[in-house]
């Protein structure tokens, strides 16, 4: 892959994307979510999310996960939910072949902005202690560690891993980006 940022669109997660999000979640995580789980998550109070797709036809992008045509490929997702002033990033993932190109940063920025638009003062998340790249992303956005959950993430090839719980205070953050980031194109 080129190190040039691909042209992405961030599309809102609706029912038509549950299968795509599930397939990507299963490719990104040992405990990947089923279509049913994605549907249940998206029915939670205030749930919203985005699918990052490389530029192409939106309707075709919904059905081609795994196809070699990079012009219309869904490459990442982010799901969040919450009510009132507290929101949570439930899951974020980018397919392995499309990592380190800024997709996760764009998804994270969209979730932060989406939470702020919905009235959030704080955004929470959990991350596996051994997921250095995700932790670096969250640190870059200003998340701080607030707790730990031993043995939270199950692994197929080893012992369970501790979850680090993190919080981002959103007061005054509307439109702010970490240095060097470009805002996402919103749908």
């Amino acid at each position: 892959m080129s190190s040039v940022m691909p042209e992405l669109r961030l599309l809102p997660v609706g029912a038509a994307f549950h299968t795509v999000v599930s397939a990507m979640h299963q490719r990104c995580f040992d405990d990947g979510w089923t279509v049913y789980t994605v549907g249940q998550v998206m029915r939670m109070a205030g749930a919203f999310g985005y699918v990052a797709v490389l530029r192409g036809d939106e309707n075709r992008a919904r059905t081609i996960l795994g196809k070699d045509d990079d012009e219309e490929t869904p490459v990442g997702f982010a799901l969040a939910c919450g009510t009132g002033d507290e929101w949570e990033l439930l899951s974020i993932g980018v397919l392995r072949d499309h990592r380190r190109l800024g997709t996760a940063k764009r998804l994270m920025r969209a979730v932060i902005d989406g939470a702020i638009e919905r009235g959030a003062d704080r955004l929470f998340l959990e991350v596996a202690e051994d997921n250095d790249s995700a932790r670096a992303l969250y640190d870059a956005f200003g998340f701080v560690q607030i707790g730990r959950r031993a043995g939270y993430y199950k692994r197929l090839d080893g012992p369970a891993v501790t979850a680090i719980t993190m919080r981002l205070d959103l007061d005054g953050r509307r439109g702010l980006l970490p240095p060097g980031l470009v805002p996402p194109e919103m749908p």
Side-chain angles (χ1 to χ4, degrees):
M1 295 260 19
S2 165
S3 63
V4 175
M5 175 69 174
E7 291 191 43
L8 295 173
R9 287 190 295 171
L10 299 184
L11 305 174
V13 173
F17 278 122
H18 292 185
T19 300
V20 171
V21 170
S22 171
M24 285 191 288
H25 201 283
Q26 290 175 27
R27 289 175 62 185
C28 290
F29 302 105
D30 283 350
D31 58 346
W33 293 351
T34 65
V35 175
Y36 176 79
T37 302
V38 172
Q40 292 298 104
V41 164
M42 293 307 295
R43 285 191 263 304
M44 293 171 69
F48 71 98
Y50 302 97
V51 172
V53 294
L54 292 176
R55 289 212 181 266
D57 179 68
E58 175 180 337
N59 293 321
R60 287 188 59 208
R62 293 180 178 142
T63 63
I64 63 163
L65 185 62
K67 185 177 176 185
D68 289 334
D69 181 359
D70 281 350
E71 289 301 307
E72 302 173 337
T73 303
V75 297
F77 65 91
L79 304 175
C81 74
T83 58
D85 61 357
E86 293 189 352
W87 290 71
E88 181 178 0
L89 173 67
L90 299 170
S91 191
I92 184 170
V94 175
L95 297 179
R96 185 169 310 282
D97 291 345
H98 298 278
R99 292 179 184 164
R100 302 217 176 272
L101 299 172
T103 303
K105 291 175 186 172
R106 298 211 23 216
L107 287 163
M108 191 77 235
R109 174 78 262 149
V111 166
I112 290 169
D113 287 345
I116 290 170
E117 289 169 10
R118 290 163 173 83
D121 291 331
R122 288 169 300 284
L123 182 62
F124 296 89
L125 61 81
E126 294 175 342
V127 60
E129 186 173 51
D130 63 353
N131 191 340
D132 295 332
S133 59
R135 291 180 67 188
L137 172 72
Y138 304 142
D139 288 344
F141 274 93
F143 281 86
V144 295
Q145 181 176 333
I146 59 170
R148 299 168 51 84
R149 294 182 181 180
Y152 185 78
Y153 289 104
K154 307 299 182 228
R155 295 289 195 241
L156 295 177
D157 59 353
V161 176
T162 295
I164 303 296
T165 56
M166 303 183 87
R167 181 188 72 229
L168 176 64
D169 292 323
L170 298 173
D171 295 339
R173 287 195 175 261
R174 181 178 298 280
L176 295 181
L177 293 171
L181 292 185
V182 177
E185 175 187 318
M186 296 305 292

